Amino acid sequence: MAEPIVRLTGVSKRYERRGGKAVTAVDDVSLDVHEGEVLAVIGYSGAGKSTVVRLMNALEAPTSGTVTVAGQDLTRLPEKELRRARQKIGMIFQQFNLFRSRTVAGNVAYPLKVAGVPKAQRDARVAELLDFVGLLERAHAHPEQLSGGQKQRVGIARALATNPPLLLADEATSALDPETTTEVLSLLRRVNRELGVTIVVITHEMDAVRQIADRVAVMEDGRVVEVGDVYDVFSAPRTAPARRFVRSVLHDRPEPDVLERLRHRHPGRLLTVQVTDEPDLQKRVDRAFSGAGVRTELVHGGVSELRERRLGSLTYEATGPEGAVDAALAALRAAGVAVEEEV
Ligand code: ADP
């Protein structure tokens, strides 16, 4: 397998707080980003996601461990070479960080100017980039004349100006409405697919994960607790923190207030079955219930897609003679169906 484009090895970052105790923002993280993929780093606020991004583009130096980007150990580079290395890493932000005094074209041209690209070449590249993000007609507008989605598209064009092989997106869609989020995410997907740019997205939003990520890394308390293919992590999280996070963004189980109403209306036991894309799942579920003499009523849930594969959950009210529901539960589990009782 090719060398990863980013490799964190045993990376920790501690902040000494004045007068207070130290905070370990990133705690012994080892993580690879593969060339050509979209990796989402997900987790609750304060988990250490932004710090990981700042370590990847060397805006911060780790307290311990090494950060390698495109084969270069950033922790050993002198400042001058570090600046050159940073030009190979594009960055987009939640608040866009555009220059208000420059036009759209001026913003996109800026990194090319810094890199010393001659004017004619710069102009051609800016036109090409603005065409790619669909803003060629707005080249002479100023950022305040643009919508949030357009501003982020300018941010993306600017980040790509010097042709970086790696793009870091820190909560890039968190300030946008759902429709604009979709539009920006599909542009990022094109950046990945058509331009071959590897992307790391930091997000706490399920939409971002659902629409563009190939793999996810789940963070909690400064640690990466789980890494894997998006579908695998969301359909079968292996660790308790990942399960907690996945559940909170998928909303796949009835929330406490919903559960209370369900209990009021449905006196039977409430069983939630996880729906994956395994074949014959419905058949196995039906057989377990009917074999045990249990009657069911669907009371909650839904099924949709993640990475073009089926994923969801269905909550049934199960009623039957003494011991029948327990027998059905045992039969479901014996048939390999993931089921939990709502308690
Ligand atoms: P996330 O992006 O997941 O919300 P962060 O990486 O921003 O998490 O923060 C992780 C932890 O490190 C938090 O407890 C935060 O308060 C702390 N932290 C981040 N940056 C600094 C800093 N510059 N100085 C002190 N503490 C920081």
Side-chain angles (χ1 to χ4, degrees):
M1 196 166 180
E3 194 182 330
I5 186 160
V6 180
R7 169 162 280 176
L8 305 189
T9 312
V11 169
S12 294
K13 178 68 188 179
R14 254 189 316 282
Y15 292 107
E16 308 294 337
R17 280 200 175 138
R18 209 177 299 160
K21 50 184 176 122
V23 188
T24 304
V26 172
D27 188 4
D28 193 22
V29 165
S30 294
L31 177 68
D32 284 352
V33 182
H34 304 150
E35 194 152 3
E37 76 172 341
V38 179
L39 174 73
V41 180
I42 62 179
Y44 297 112
S45 166
K49 306 180 299 292
S50 295
T51 306
V52 160
V53 163
R54 292 198 303 271
L55 289 162
M56 283 179 180
N57 64 6
L59 286 177
E60 303 264 17
T63 311
S64 57
T66 57
V67 179
T68 308
V69 175
Q72 269 188 316
D73 182 352
L74 297 186
T75 44
R76 285 164 177 276
L77 286 186
E79 185 56 35
K80 195 168 153 218
E81 283 175 52
L82 208 50
R83 239 173 289 142
R84 199 168 317 137
R86 278 195 205 109
Q87 286 183 2
K88 293 187 200 147
I89 306 172
M91 183 83 197
I92 55 173
F93 309 89
Q94 181 171 0
Q95 296 306 332
F96 323 121
N97 296 16
L98 301 178
F99 295 113
R100 284 159 64 186
S101 59
R102 289 173 202 261
T103 61
V104 164
N107 269 280
V108 178
Y110 182 76
L112 297 167
K113 224 170 175 171
V114 171
V117 175
K119 174 135 178 35
Q121 225 172 304
R122 214 158 65 208
D123 289 348
R125 178 72 180 139
V126 169
E128 180 183 32
L129 286 157
L130 289 180
D131 186 39
F132 183 78
V133 303
L135 285 174
L136 202 49
E137 307 85 82
R138 306 309 307 272
H140 303 295
H142 275 84
E144 79 263 15
Q145 298 169 288
L146 304 180
S147 69
Q150 290 173 326
K151 282 181 200 159
Q152 194 57 291
R153 277 147 62 194
V154 177
I156 292 169
R158 181 182 60 182
L160 296 175
T162 56
N163 260 316
L166 175 66
L167 178 66
L168 306 177
D170 192 353
E171 298 285 4
T173 54
S174 302
L176 305 173
D177 60 62
E179 203 173 310
T180 315
T181 292
T182 301
E183 172 194 307
V184 169
L185 290 172
S186 73
L187 175 59
L188 287 175
R189 191 81 208 157
R190 279 179 56 219
V191 168
N192 173 252
R193 289 284 160 90
E194 294 174 26
L195 308 179
V197 176
T198 304
I199 303 181
V200 178
V201 293
I202 300 294
T203 188
H204 66 279
E205 295 179 312
M206 190 55 207
D207 278 344
V209 174
R210 192 185 284 283
Q211 286 180 51
I212 66 170
D214 300 309
R215 287 198 312 144
V216 288
V218 186
M219 287 196 74
E220 187 175 84
D221 289 337
R223 294 177 164 270
V224 170
V225 293
E226 200 159 324
V227 192
D229 172 88
V230 170
Y231 189 84
D232 293 345
V233 172
F234 277 85
S235 63
R238 284 173 285 110
T239 60
R243 208 169 301 137
R244 204 159 41 236
F245 184 79
V246 161
R247 208 163 267 175
S248 73
V249 292
L250 282 181
H251 304 293
D252 65 340
R253 301 279 291 272
E255 306 278 345
D257 58 324
V258 176
L259 195 56
E260 206 181 305
R261 280 194 296 278
L262 289 176
R263 291 216 178 287
H264 207 71
R265 285 197 298 262
H266 303 281
R269 287 165 71 180
L270 299 176
L271 310 182
T272 299
V273 168
Q274 195 187 18
V275 180
T276 61
D277 60 356
E278 287 170 82
D280 290 343
L281 184 77
Q282 186 70 62
K283 202 183 285 173
R284 278 181 280 153
V285 170
D286 292 346
R287 203 175 284 155
F289 281 130
S290 62
V294 167
R295 274 175 294 109
T296 56
E297 167 87 5
L298 253 180
V299 296
H300 190 83
V303 179
S304 63
E305 279 201 328
L306 181 62
R307 309 300 301 151
E308 298 173 7
R309 293 170 68 182
R310 184 172 66 166
L311 186 66
S313 72
L314 297 172
T315 302
Y316 294 90
E317 178 195 23
T319 46
E322 176 87 12
V325 177
D326 285 320
L329 261 172
L332 283 165
R333 292 193 172 121
V337 176
V339 56
E340 282 188 61
E341 180 158 12
E342 300 299 340
V343 286

